[in-house]
Amino acid sequence: MTPPPAGAGAWDFGAELRALDAAQLRRQRRVIDAYDGPRLRIDGRDMLAFCSNDYLGLAQHPALVQAAREAAARWGTGATASPVLCGHSRAHEDLERELAAFVGLPRALYFYAGFPANAGLVPALAGRGDAVFSDALNHACLIDGARLSRAEVQVYAHRDVDDLARRLQACRARRRLITTDAVFSMDGTIAPLRELLELAERFDALLLVDDAHGFGVLGPGGAGSAAAFGLRSPRLLYMATLGKAAGVAGAFVAGADDAVEFLMQRTRSYIFATAAPAMIAETLRASLRVIAEESWRRERLRELVRMVREHDRWPAAWRLGDSETPVQPVVLGSNEAALDAMRRLWEQGLWVPAIRPPTVPAGSARLRLSLSAAHQPGDLRRLLLAVDGIAA
Ligand SMILES: *Cc1c(COP(=O)(O)O)cnc(C)c1O
């Protein structure tokens, strides 16, 4: 069969791509040939990167690499089927128990990735006739989960508990689910989790927290944002991902026993997906031990965050975000300005990606500095000096 002619009728992909180019929204994927912590060889160039979510610098940790090697030798590489069809490995069983203990909640359920976890959890919790309340800056997978749920979706203003309270008060839905990022991925801001949980209690609602950027980083021993706020309630469902600070892959949801058992029964992205390899579970078990033991990594992060906050020579048109976390946004406004700054840093061997819509609201294109315990303070000084050079 001959393929249809390019640019046919409703399927003119070429025109779609040209429109992305014109709006400076075309994304480019660079090819990484080698990693050494934040030092990458990309497209043949040695770069110092500030774009990874490997906040604790664990993605190449020798203890994790060793655990992966041993587990591959013992278990092989594949998991063969859905965990509810064929069974899940002893490694996953142990990991789930350790994850629950790590975050101080009764039970945990492991997923192969964070996006499908939230895209499945929200529809498992809410359906037609229910309502989902979603922070305006929530991650795409919470948004898509809400859309899939067929529940009424109410978007409340970013971190605005008064707006949320008014909406809950006025809502007649049978069940009400509040969803929020704990640390917002493109702003680094922290959700008012204590107030959100109070609203959940007051309005007979449930709170689903996505801690992709807080797990391992915030809270005692890296136990995450909910632990940092000391939250305990059967109305709390805590979800976090394991491909960022934990340095491996996957995600989990934790909460009350019955709630987690219900989610295992009803989450389609859990039931109809192949389990993750046991190798991944064993590597994550090693990661949990390192996260708890090597607290210097969290101290290093705090030091780096302080250095960014105390830097006072940002170009006049750049606005540093209001973040106490390793996600440090510098908002430039237009796509063009953000891309231009990105290119000028790239020329100096510094890889700081520009984030554009639809990842962030229109007119708030930014550089997103992502700090890692694998950065030396000298690495960050090099970046800040380069920024001064752009300003001059
Ligand atoms: C990265 C991220 C996810 C997705 O997790 P993956 O494991 O990468 O699929 C979900 N929520 C937030 C807030 C994230 O930043």
Side-chain angles (χ1 to χ4, degrees), residues 3 150 319 336 388:
R150 297 188 174 92
R319 194 173 52 73
E336 205 169 358
D388 293 347

Short mmCIF file of all heavy atoms in Angstrom, two decimals, residues 3 150 319 336 388:
data_model
loop_
_atom_site.label_atom_id
_atom_site.label_comp_id
_atom_site.label_asym_id
_atom_site.label_seq_id
_atom_site.Cartn_x
_atom_site.Cartn_y
_atom_site.Cartn_z
N PRO A 3 1.55 5.06 1.14
CA PRO A 3 1.06 5.93 2.22
C PRO A 3 0.26 7.08 1.64
O PRO A 3 0.44 7.44 0.48
CB PRO A 3 2.36 6.41 2.88
CG PRO A 3 3.43 6.25 1.85
CD PRO A 3 3.01 5.12 0.96
N ARG A 150 -14.73 11.35 34.32
CA ARG A 150 -16.09 11.79 33.97
C ARG A 150 -16.77 12.52 35.14
O ARG A 150 -17.96 12.80 35.10
CB ARG A 150 -16.98 10.63 33.54
CG ARG A 150 -16.51 9.93 32.28
CD ARG A 150 -17.58 8.94 31.85
NE ARG A 150 -17.29 8.32 30.57
CZ ARG A 150 -16.63 7.17 30.44
NH1 ARG A 150 -16.15 6.55 31.52
NH2 ARG A 150 -16.42 6.64 29.25
N ARG A 319 12.64 37.07 36.76
CA ARG A 319 12.03 37.03 38.09
C ARG A 319 12.21 35.65 38.72
O ARG A 319 11.71 34.66 38.22
CB ARG A 319 10.53 37.38 37.98
CG ARG A 319 9.86 37.70 39.29
CD ARG A 319 8.43 38.20 39.07
NE ARG A 319 7.64 37.31 38.22
CZ ARG A 319 7.17 36.13 38.62
NH1 ARG A 319 7.38 35.69 39.84
NH2 ARG A 319 6.46 35.37 37.79
N GLU A 336 10.47 33.46 23.41
CA GLU A 336 11.68 33.88 22.73
C GLU A 336 12.78 34.23 23.73
O GLU A 336 13.92 33.81 23.58
CB GLU A 336 11.33 35.12 21.89
CG GLU A 336 12.23 35.32 20.73
CD GLU A 336 11.66 36.41 19.82
OE1 GLU A 336 10.57 36.95 20.11
OE2 GLU A 336 12.35 36.70 18.84
N ASP A 388 25.29 36.27 35.39
CA ASP A 388 25.77 37.65 35.53
C ASP A 388 26.29 38.17 34.20
O ASP A 388 26.07 39.32 33.83
CB ASP A 388 26.91 37.73 36.56
CG ASP A 388 26.44 37.42 37.97
OD1 ASP A 388 25.21 37.38 38.18
OD2 ASP A 388 27.30 37.20 38.84
#
